[in-house]
Amino acid sequence: MSRIDESRAFLPVRIAIATISDTRTAENDTSGDALAARVTAAGHELAACAIIKDDAGLIETALRGWIADPAVDVVITTGGTGVTGRDVTPEAFERVLEKKIEGFGELFRMLSYAKIGTSTMQSRALGGVANGTYLFALPGSTGAVKDGWDDILRFQLDSRHRPCNLVELMPRLKEHFKA
């Protein structure tokens, strides 16, 4: 079973957060606020926060900017993962991802099923890697953000998590770029 190995050093990562929404503002962004609070409470650095309209081009531009920024290790978005016409976060992710982390979306839906039942099938949560940066798309509800962080990302972004974690892989994410 997984565990935190207290004998190992905690290595904070730099995380950018984006809320994808046509209606959320800084005053009512409960999902983005919940995620930011969890990221900082876990000891990580909040590298950036943004609210981006449900527009695949705008989302892609923001993702590419963070992927190119050496001060960002991880990007987590909340919102735009549903199945309606304005839900285009997965499509924007597809434009930038080099590798998908299939297990993230599968695990998110499995955990979510225990809480919301078959409604979880409406989530297109996903994860992947681009230019050495991890990217994760969570649904826009505060509950989904809590589930995604508390049950998955909090552990995988903790360098002390055993038997393995995503942080220990970071130095090797750009191996394919080396000559």
Side-chain angles (χ1 to χ4, degrees):
M1 195 67 193
S2 64
R3 64 183 175 85
I4 299 295
D5 182 350
E6 298 291 346
S7 71
R8 297 180 57 99
F10 175 78
L11 302 173
V13 295
R14 299 161 298 191
I15 301 174
I17 295 173
T19 298
I20 311 301
S21 175
D22 287 336
T23 59
R24 299 274 173 100
T25 66
E27 291 74 35
N28 67 6
D29 182 16
T30 56
S31 298
D33 291 345
L35 185 55
R38 282 169 160 69
V39 163
T40 56
H44 298 294
E45 178 185 331
L46 197 55
C49 283
I51 297 175
I52 304 167
K53 296 287 185 200
D54 286 298
D55 177 281
L58 294 175
I59 299 165
E60 177 186 359
T61 298
L63 293 175
R64 288 192 186 282
W66 285 324
I67 291 164
D69 186 345
V72 175
D73 302 312
V74 179
V75 176
I76 306 172
T77 65
T78 172
T81 63
V83 296
T84 70
R86 295 294 292 161
D87 292 321
V88 295
T89 301
E91 287 75 14
F93 269 59
E94 292 288 334
R95 296 177 186 179
V96 301
L97 289 181
E98 295 165 6
K99 294 184 179 188
K100 292 182 184 178
I101 303 174
E102 301 289 353
F104 175 75
E106 295 163 356
L107 181 57
F108 176 84
R109 284 181 284 280
M110 181 194 79
L111 295 168
S112 180
Y113 179 78
K115 297 176 183 181
I116 65 168
T118 58
S119 296
T120 194
M121 70 177 270
Q122 296 179 33
S123 166
R124 296 186 300 147
L126 72 142
V129 179
N131 192 36
T133 303
Y134 289 116
L135 296 102
F136 299 98
L138 294 169
S141 74
T142 303
V145 164
K146 291 176 181 178
D147 293 345
W149 179 265
D150 295 350
D151 297 340
I152 306 170
L153 294 174
R154 173 173 63 110
F155 298 108
Q156 282 299 299
L157 296 177
D158 190 323
S159 55
R160 303 166 300 167
H161 183 261
R162 295 286 158 251
C164 57
N165 60 76
L166 294 174
V167 177
E168 63 194 0
L169 300 177
M170 286 177 160
R172 298 180 51 211
L173 292 178
K174 292 186 177 186
E175 289 175 332
H176 61 295
F177 293 130
K178 297 177 182 171

PDB file of all heavy atoms in Angstrom, residues 18-26 28 50-63 66 77-80 85-89 92:
ATOM      1  N   ALA A  18      -5.291  26.918 -13.225  1.00  0.00           N
ATOM      2  CA  ALA A  18      -6.196  27.678 -14.080  1.00  0.00           C
ATOM      3  C   ALA A  18      -7.614  27.176 -13.888  1.00  0.00           C
ATOM      4  O   ALA A  18      -7.873  25.972 -13.931  1.00  0.00           O
ATOM      5  CB  ALA A  18      -5.800  27.553 -15.543  1.00  0.00           C
ATOM      6  N   THR A  19      -8.525  28.102 -13.670  1.00  0.00           N
ATOM      7  CA  THR A  19      -9.944  27.796 -13.671  1.00  0.00           C
ATOM      8  C   THR A  19     -10.453  28.093 -15.071  1.00  0.00           C
ATOM      9  O   THR A  19     -10.248  29.188 -15.586  1.00  0.00           O
ATOM     10  CB  THR A  19     -10.696  28.643 -12.632  1.00  0.00           C
ATOM     11  OG1 THR A  19     -10.191  28.314 -11.337  1.00  0.00           O
ATOM     12  CG2 THR A  19     -12.191  28.392 -12.683  1.00  0.00           C
ATOM     13  N   ILE A  20     -11.089  27.103 -15.670  1.00  0.00           N
ATOM     14  CA  ILE A  20     -11.623  27.257 -17.023  1.00  0.00           C
ATOM     15  C   ILE A  20     -13.124  27.479 -16.897  1.00  0.00           C
ATOM     16  O   ILE A  20     -13.868  26.584 -16.505  1.00  0.00           O
ATOM     17  CB  ILE A  20     -11.339  26.000 -17.884  1.00  0.00           C
ATOM     18  CG1 ILE A  20      -9.874  25.571 -17.785  1.00  0.00           C
ATOM     19  CG2 ILE A  20     -11.795  26.240 -19.316  1.00  0.00           C
ATOM     20  CD1 ILE A  20      -8.852  26.601 -18.219  1.00  0.00           C
ATOM     21  N   SER A  21     -13.575  28.683 -17.234  1.00  0.00           N
ATOM     22  CA  SER A  21     -14.987  29.008 -17.048  1.00  0.00           C
ATOM     23  C   SER A  21     -15.352  30.306 -17.756  1.00  0.00           C
ATOM     24  O   SER A  21     -14.554  31.235 -17.792  1.00  0.00           O
ATOM     25  CB  SER A  21     -15.294  29.143 -15.554  1.00  0.00           C
ATOM     26  OG  SER A  21     -16.614  29.558 -15.347  1.00  0.00           O
ATOM     27  N   ASP A  22     -16.579  30.344 -18.260  1.00  0.00           N
ATOM     28  CA  ASP A  22     -17.127  31.582 -18.813  1.00  0.00           C
ATOM     29  C   ASP A  22     -17.803  32.421 -17.738  1.00  0.00           C
ATOM     30  O   ASP A  22     -18.134  33.578 -17.972  1.00  0.00           O
ATOM     31  CB  ASP A  22     -18.160  31.270 -19.897  1.00  0.00           C
ATOM     32  CG  ASP A  22     -17.528  30.768 -21.185  1.00  0.00           C
ATOM     33  OD1 ASP A  22     -16.344  31.061 -21.428  1.00  0.00           O
ATOM     34  OD2 ASP A  22     -18.229  30.068 -21.946  1.00  0.00           O
ATOM     35  N   THR A  23     -18.019  31.824 -16.552  1.00  0.00           N
ATOM     36  CA  THR A  23     -18.802  32.516 -15.529  1.00  0.00           C
ATOM     37  C   THR A  23     -18.043  32.791 -14.225  1.00  0.00           C
ATOM     38  O   THR A  23     -18.454  33.649 -13.462  1.00  0.00           O
ATOM     39  CB  THR A  23     -20.063  31.700 -15.175  1.00  0.00           C
ATOM     40  OG1 THR A  23     -19.658  30.410 -14.705  1.00  0.00           O
ATOM     41  CG2 THR A  23     -20.972  31.545 -16.386  1.00  0.00           C
ATOM     42  N   ARG A  24     -16.952  32.102 -13.977  1.00  0.00           N
ATOM     43  CA  ARG A  24     -16.232  32.304 -12.714  1.00  0.00           C
ATOM     44  C   ARG A  24     -15.402  33.586 -12.779  1.00  0.00           C
ATOM     45  O   ARG A  24     -14.857  33.951 -13.821  1.00  0.00           O
ATOM     46  CB  ARG A  24     -15.303  31.130 -12.419  1.00  0.00           C
ATOM     47  CG  ARG A  24     -16.012  29.792 -12.274  1.00  0.00           C
ATOM     48  CD  ARG A  24     -16.507  29.555 -10.870  1.00  0.00           C
ATOM     49  NE  ARG A  24     -17.307  28.361 -10.787  1.00  0.00           N
ATOM     50  CZ  ARG A  24     -16.866  27.198 -10.352  1.00  0.00           C
ATOM     51  NH1 ARG A  24     -15.619  27.063  -9.968  1.00  0.00           N
ATOM     52  NH2 ARG A  24     -17.684  26.167 -10.307  1.00  0.00           N
ATOM     53  N   THR A  25     -15.312  34.216 -11.608  1.00  0.00           N
ATOM     54  CA  THR A  25     -14.490  35.420 -11.449  1.00  0.00           C
ATOM     55  C   THR A  25     -13.610  35.195 -10.219  1.00  0.00           C
ATOM     56  O   THR A  25     -13.787  34.225  -9.481  1.00  0.00           O
ATOM     57  CB  THR A  25     -15.361  36.672 -11.233  1.00  0.00           C
ATOM     58  OG1 THR A  25     -16.042  36.544  -9.977  1.00  0.00           O
ATOM     59  CG2 THR A  25     -16.366  36.864 -12.362  1.00  0.00           C
ATOM     60  N   ALA A  26     -12.719  36.123  -9.960  1.00  0.00           N
ATOM     61  CA  ALA A  26     -11.872  36.022  -8.767  1.00  0.00           C
ATOM     62  C   ALA A  26     -12.717  36.004  -7.502  1.00  0.00           C
ATOM     63  O   ALA A  26     -12.321  35.411  -6.495  1.00  0.00           O
ATOM     64  CB  ALA A  26     -10.871  37.184  -8.739  1.00  0.00           C
ATOM     65  N   ASN A  28     -15.793  34.572  -7.137  1.00  0.00           N
ATOM     66  CA  ASN A  28     -16.607  33.367  -6.940  1.00  0.00           C
ATOM     67  C   ASN A  28     -15.929  32.078  -7.418  1.00  0.00           C
ATOM     68  O   ASN A  28     -16.597  31.072  -7.636  1.00  0.00           O
ATOM     69  CB  ASN A  28     -17.980  33.528  -7.608  1.00  0.00           C
ATOM     70  CG  ASN A  28     -17.896  33.601  -9.126  1.00  0.00           C
ATOM     71  OD1 ASN A  28     -16.850  33.423  -9.726  1.00  0.00           O
ATOM     72  ND2 ASN A  28     -19.025  33.878  -9.756  1.00  0.00           N
ATOM     73  N   ALA A  50      -4.872  31.639 -12.794  1.00  0.00           N
ATOM     74  CA  ALA A  50      -5.569  32.351 -13.861  1.00  0.00           C
ATOM     75  C   ALA A  50      -6.991  31.826 -13.982  1.00  0.00           C
ATOM     76  O   ALA A  50      -7.282  30.696 -13.602  1.00  0.00           O
ATOM     77  CB  ALA A  50      -4.839  32.166 -15.193  1.00  0.00           C
ATOM     78  N   ILE A  51      -7.846  32.676 -14.507  1.00  0.00           N
ATOM     79  CA  ILE A  51      -9.190  32.264 -14.916  1.00  0.00           C
ATOM     80  C   ILE A  51      -9.234  32.468 -16.419  1.00  0.00           C
ATOM     81  O   ILE A  51      -8.946  33.564 -16.919  1.00  0.00           O
ATOM     82  CB  ILE A  51     -10.280  33.083 -14.205  1.00  0.00           C
ATOM     83  CG1 ILE A  51     -10.204  32.839 -12.692  1.00  0.00           C
ATOM     84  CG2 ILE A  51     -11.661  32.711 -14.754  1.00  0.00           C
ATOM     85  CD1 ILE A  51     -11.157  33.684 -11.876  1.00  0.00           C
ATOM     86  N   ILE A  52      -9.557  31.405 -17.138  1.00  0.00           N
ATOM     87  CA  ILE A  52      -9.514  31.415 -18.597  1.00  0.00           C
ATOM     88  C   ILE A  52     -10.892  31.042 -19.132  1.00  0.00           C
ATOM     89  O   ILE A  52     -11.515  30.091 -18.649  1.00  0.00           O
ATOM     90  CB  ILE A  52      -8.455  30.413 -19.118  1.00  0.00           C
ATOM     91  CG1 ILE A  52      -7.085  30.741 -18.512  1.00  0.00           C
ATOM     92  CG2 ILE A  52      -8.413  30.411 -20.637  1.00  0.00           C
ATOM     93  CD1 ILE A  52      -6.054  29.655 -18.715  1.00  0.00           C
ATOM     94  N   LYS A  53     -11.357  31.761 -20.116  1.00  0.00           N
ATOM     95  CA  LYS A  53     -12.653  31.462 -20.737  1.00  0.00           C
ATOM     96  C   LYS A  53     -12.627  30.074 -21.382  1.00  0.00           C
ATOM     97  O   LYS A  53     -11.578  29.558 -21.760  1.00  0.00           O
ATOM     98  CB  LYS A  53     -12.997  32.513 -21.803  1.00  0.00           C
ATOM     99  CG  LYS A  53     -13.193  33.900 -21.245  1.00  0.00           C
ATOM    100  CD  LYS A  53     -14.484  34.012 -20.494  1.00  0.00           C
ATOM    101  CE  LYS A  53     -14.733  35.445 -20.049  1.00  0.00           C
ATOM    102  NZ  LYS A  53     -15.691  35.514 -18.971  1.00  0.00           N
ATOM    103  N   ASP A  54     -13.821  29.484 -21.536  1.00  0.00           N
ATOM    104  CA  ASP A  54     -13.974  28.184 -22.194  1.00  0.00           C
ATOM    105  C   ASP A  54     -13.735  28.341 -23.692  1.00  0.00           C
ATOM    106  O   ASP A  54     -14.673  28.336 -24.498  1.00  0.00           O
ATOM    107  CB  ASP A  54     -15.390  27.634 -21.958  1.00  0.00           C
ATOM    108  CG  ASP A  54     -15.601  27.130 -20.553  1.00  0.00           C
ATOM    109  OD1 ASP A  54     -14.907  26.183 -20.169  1.00  0.00           O
ATOM    110  OD2 ASP A  54     -16.471  27.683 -19.851  1.00  0.00           O
ATOM    111  N   ASP A  55     -12.490  28.481 -24.052  1.00  0.00           N
ATOM    112  CA  ASP A  55     -12.085  28.655 -25.447  1.00  0.00           C
ATOM    113  C   ASP A  55     -10.801  27.863 -25.649  1.00  0.00           C
ATOM    114  O   ASP A  55      -9.794  28.152 -24.994  1.00  0.00           O
ATOM    115  CB  ASP A  55     -11.871  30.142 -25.737  1.00  0.00           C
ATOM    116  CG  ASP A  55     -11.375  30.400 -27.143  1.00  0.00           C
ATOM    117  OD1 ASP A  55     -10.156  30.212 -27.388  1.00  0.00           O
ATOM    118  OD2 ASP A  55     -12.202  30.789 -27.989  1.00  0.00           O
ATOM    119  N   ALA A  56     -10.829  26.874 -26.531  1.00  0.00           N
ATOM    120  CA  ALA A  56      -9.679  25.978 -26.692  1.00  0.00           C
ATOM    121  C   ALA A  56      -8.403  26.736 -27.060  1.00  0.00           C
ATOM    122  O   ALA A  56      -7.321  26.389 -26.580  1.00  0.00           O
ATOM    123  CB  ALA A  56      -9.983  24.906 -27.739  1.00  0.00           C
ATOM    124  N   GLY A  57      -8.513  27.767 -27.882  1.00  0.00           N
ATOM    125  CA  GLY A  57      -7.335  28.539 -28.250  1.00  0.00           C
ATOM    126  C   GLY A  57      -6.727  29.276 -27.078  1.00  0.00           C
ATOM    127  O   GLY A  57      -5.504  29.299 -26.912  1.00  0.00           O
ATOM    128  N   LEU A  58      -7.575  29.881 -26.248  1.00  0.00           N
ATOM    129  CA  LEU A  58      -7.080  30.593 -25.067  1.00  0.00           C
ATOM    130  C   LEU A  58      -6.450  29.621 -24.069  1.00  0.00           C
ATOM    131  O   LEU A  58      -5.409  29.909 -23.480  1.00  0.00           O
ATOM    132  CB  LEU A  58      -8.214  31.368 -24.390  1.00  0.00           C
ATOM    133  CG  LEU A  58      -8.825  32.525 -25.172  1.00  0.00           C
ATOM    134  CD1 LEU A  58     -10.029  33.106 -24.417  1.00  0.00           C
ATOM    135  CD2 LEU A  58      -7.781  33.601 -25.428  1.00  0.00           C
ATOM    136  N   ILE A  59      -7.083  28.479 -23.886  1.00  0.00           N
ATOM    137  CA  ILE A  59      -6.546  27.470 -22.964  1.00  0.00           C
ATOM    138  C   ILE A  59      -5.208  26.959 -23.483  1.00  0.00           C
ATOM    139  O   ILE A  59      -4.229  26.874 -22.729  1.00  0.00           O
ATOM    140  CB  ILE A  59      -7.541  26.303 -22.784  1.00  0.00           C
ATOM    141  CG1 ILE A  59      -8.856  26.812 -22.195  1.00  0.00           C
ATOM    142  CG2 ILE A  59      -6.933  25.204 -21.916  1.00  0.00           C
ATOM    143  CD1 ILE A  59     -10.016  25.823 -22.304  1.00  0.00           C
ATOM    144  N   GLU A  60      -5.144  26.648 -24.763  1.00  0.00           N
ATOM    145  CA  GLU A  60      -3.894  26.161 -25.354  1.00  0.00           C
ATOM    146  C   GLU A  60      -2.767  27.181 -25.193  1.00  0.00           C
ATOM    147  O   GLU A  60      -1.637  26.815 -24.839  1.00  0.00           O
ATOM    148  CB  GLU A  60      -4.093  25.852 -26.844  1.00  0.00           C
ATOM    149  CG  GLU A  60      -2.825  25.407 -27.523  1.00  0.00           C
ATOM    150  CD  GLU A  60      -2.967  25.231 -29.027  1.00  0.00           C
ATOM    151  OE1 GLU A  60      -4.073  25.433 -29.569  1.00  0.00           O
ATOM    152  OE2 GLU A  60      -1.941  24.895 -29.669  1.00  0.00           O
ATOM    153  N   THR A  61      -3.064  28.448 -25.430  1.00  0.00           N
ATOM    154  CA  THR A  61      -2.048  29.499 -25.291  1.00  0.00           C
ATOM    155  C   THR A  61      -1.509  29.544 -23.869  1.00  0.00           C
ATOM    156  O   THR A  61      -0.290  29.624 -23.656  1.00  0.00           O
ATOM    157  CB  THR A  61      -2.631  30.863 -25.701  1.00  0.00           C
ATOM    158  OG1 THR A  61      -3.013  30.799 -27.085  1.00  0.00           O
ATOM    159  CG2 THR A  61      -1.625  31.975 -25.504  1.00  0.00           C
ATOM    160  N   ALA A  62      -2.402  29.484 -22.887  1.00  0.00           N
ATOM    161  CA  ALA A  62      -1.961  29.506 -21.491  1.00  0.00           C
ATOM    162  C   ALA A  62      -1.125  28.268 -21.173  1.00  0.00           C
ATOM    163  O   ALA A  62      -0.065  28.375 -20.539  1.00  0.00           O
ATOM    164  CB  ALA A  62      -3.162  29.587 -20.562  1.00  0.00           C
ATOM    165  N   LEU A  63      -1.581  27.111 -21.609  1.00  0.00           N
ATOM    166  CA  LEU A  63      -0.829  25.877 -21.351  1.00  0.00           C
ATOM    167  C   LEU A  63       0.561  25.952 -21.969  1.00  0.00           C
ATOM    168  O   LEU A  63       1.553  25.615 -21.322  1.00  0.00           O
ATOM    169  CB  LEU A  63      -1.577  24.656 -21.905  1.00  0.00           C
ATOM    170  CG  LEU A  63      -2.898  24.293 -21.229  1.00  0.00           C
ATOM    171  CD1 LEU A  63      -3.560  23.138 -21.967  1.00  0.00           C
ATOM    172  CD2 LEU A  63      -2.706  23.983 -19.755  1.00  0.00           C
ATOM    173  N   TRP A  66       2.899  28.144 -19.911  1.00  0.00           N
ATOM    174  CA  TRP A  66       3.384  27.499 -18.687  1.00  0.00           C
ATOM    175  C   TRP A  66       4.326  26.347 -18.987  1.00  0.00           C
ATOM    176  O   TRP A  66       5.305  26.148 -18.271  1.00  0.00           O
ATOM    177  CB  TRP A  66       2.202  27.023 -17.836  1.00  0.00           C
ATOM    178  CG  TRP A  66       1.494  28.146 -17.137  1.00  0.00           C
ATOM    179  CD1 TRP A  66       2.075  29.270 -16.612  1.00  0.00           C
ATOM    180  CD2 TRP A  66       0.111  28.257 -16.873  1.00  0.00           C
ATOM    181  NE1 TRP A  66       1.119  30.074 -16.037  1.00  0.00           N
ATOM    182  CE2 TRP A  66      -0.105  29.469 -16.178  1.00  0.00           C
ATOM    183  CE3 TRP A  66      -0.990  27.446 -17.148  1.00  0.00           C
ATOM    184  CZ2 TRP A  66      -1.364  29.881 -15.755  1.00  0.00           C
ATOM    185  CZ3 TRP A  66      -2.243  27.857 -16.729  1.00  0.00           C
ATOM    186  CH2 TRP A  66      -2.419  29.066 -16.037  1.00  0.00           C
ATOM    187  N   THR A  77      -5.673  22.308 -14.078  1.00  0.00           N
ATOM    188  CA  THR A  77      -6.844  23.104 -14.439  1.00  0.00           C
ATOM    189  C   THR A  77      -8.070  22.524 -13.763  1.00  0.00           C
ATOM    190  O   THR A  77      -8.120  21.338 -13.436  1.00  0.00           O
ATOM    191  CB  THR A  77      -7.075  23.157 -15.962  1.00  0.00           C
ATOM    192  OG1 THR A  77      -7.398  21.854 -16.440  1.00  0.00           O
ATOM    193  CG2 THR A  77      -5.845  23.695 -16.690  1.00  0.00           C
ATOM    194  N   THR A  78      -9.064  23.373 -13.573  1.00  0.00           N
ATOM    195  CA  THR A  78     -10.350  22.946 -13.049  1.00  0.00           C
ATOM    196  C   THR A  78     -11.427  23.550 -13.940  1.00  0.00           C
ATOM    197  O   THR A  78     -11.448  24.756 -14.165  1.00  0.00           O
ATOM    198  CB  THR A  78     -10.535  23.353 -11.569  1.00  0.00           C
ATOM    199  OG1 THR A  78     -11.877  23.079 -11.177  1.00  0.00           O
ATOM    200  CG2 THR A  78     -10.198  24.791 -11.299  1.00  0.00           C
ATOM    201  N   GLY A  79     -12.269  22.673 -14.485  1.00  0.00           N
ATOM    202  CA  GLY A  79     -13.359  23.123 -15.338  1.00  0.00           C
ATOM    203  C   GLY A  79     -13.170  22.768 -16.795  1.00  0.00           C
ATOM    204  O   GLY A  79     -12.059  22.517 -17.254  1.00  0.00           O
ATOM    205  N   GLY A  80     -14.290  22.731 -17.500  1.00  0.00           N
ATOM    206  CA  GLY A  80     -14.275  22.488 -18.937  1.00  0.00           C
ATOM    207  C   GLY A  80     -14.043  21.053 -19.354  1.00  0.00           C
ATOM    208  O   GLY A  80     -13.711  20.791 -20.510  1.00  0.00           O
ATOM    209  N   GLY A  85     -21.038  21.675 -25.293  1.00  0.00           N
ATOM    210  CA  GLY A  85     -20.330  22.343 -26.378  1.00  0.00           C
ATOM    211  C   GLY A  85     -19.214  23.263 -25.929  1.00  0.00           C
ATOM    212  O   GLY A  85     -18.213  23.418 -26.636  1.00  0.00           O
ATOM    213  N   ARG A  86     -19.349  23.898 -24.771  1.00  0.00           N
ATOM    214  CA  ARG A  86     -18.327  24.826 -24.283  1.00  0.00           C
ATOM    215  C   ARG A  86     -17.224  24.127 -23.495  1.00  0.00           C
ATOM    216  O   ARG A  86     -16.255  24.757 -23.104  1.00  0.00           O
ATOM    217  CB  ARG A  86     -18.963  25.919 -23.414  1.00  0.00           C
ATOM    218  CG  ARG A  86     -19.917  26.832 -24.158  1.00  0.00           C
ATOM    219  CD  ARG A  86     -19.249  27.691 -25.191  1.00  0.00           C
ATOM    220  NE  ARG A  86     -18.385  28.689 -24.560  1.00  0.00           N
ATOM    221  CZ  ARG A  86     -17.419  29.330 -25.195  1.00  0.00           C
ATOM    222  NH1 ARG A  86     -17.168  29.086 -26.462  1.00  0.00           N
ATOM    223  NH2 ARG A  86     -16.673  30.200 -24.560  1.00  0.00           N
ATOM    224  N   ASP A  87     -17.375  22.838 -23.229  1.00  0.00           N
ATOM    225  CA  ASP A  87     -16.367  22.084 -22.468  1.00  0.00           C
ATOM    226  C   ASP A  87     -15.258  21.630 -23.415  1.00  0.00           C
ATOM    227  O   ASP A  87     -15.386  20.589 -24.068  1.00  0.00           O
ATOM    228  CB  ASP A  87     -17.002  20.875 -21.774  1.00  0.00           C
ATOM    229  CG  ASP A  87     -17.955  21.269 -20.668  1.00  0.00           C
ATOM    230  OD1 ASP A  87     -17.646  22.236 -19.952  1.00  0.00           O
ATOM    231  OD2 ASP A  87     -18.995  20.599 -20.512  1.00  0.00           O
ATOM    232  N   VAL A  88     -14.170  22.412 -23.469  1.00  0.00           N
ATOM    233  CA  VAL A  88     -13.122  22.150 -24.460  1.00  0.00           C
ATOM    234  C   VAL A  88     -11.727  21.999 -23.848  1.00  0.00           C
ATOM    235  O   VAL A  88     -10.726  21.996 -24.566  1.00  0.00           O
ATOM    236  CB  VAL A  88     -13.106  23.257 -25.550  1.00  0.00           C
ATOM    237  CG1 VAL A  88     -14.389  23.243 -26.366  1.00  0.00           C
ATOM    238  CG2 VAL A  88     -12.878  24.641 -24.923  1.00  0.00           C
ATOM    239  N   THR A  89     -11.661  21.851 -22.531  1.00  0.00           N
ATOM    240  CA  THR A  89     -10.350  21.695 -21.901  1.00  0.00           C
ATOM    241  C   THR A  89      -9.605  20.468 -22.426  1.00  0.00           C
ATOM    242  O   THR A  89      -8.426  20.579 -22.781  1.00  0.00           O
ATOM    243  CB  THR A  89     -10.480  21.666 -20.365  1.00  0.00           C
ATOM    244  OG1 THR A  89     -11.101  22.891 -19.937  1.00  0.00           O
ATOM    245  CG2 THR A  89      -9.136  21.519 -19.700  1.00  0.00           C
ATOM    246  N   ALA A  92      -8.046  21.193 -25.781  1.00  0.00           N
ATOM    247  CA  ALA A  92      -6.866  22.057 -25.678  1.00  0.00           C
ATOM    248  C   ALA A  92      -5.666  21.251 -25.181  1.00  0.00           C
ATOM    249  O   ALA A  92      -4.551  21.414 -25.685  1.00  0.00           O
ATOM    250  CB  ALA A  92      -7.151  23.230 -24.743  1.00  0.00           C
TER     251      ALA A  92
END
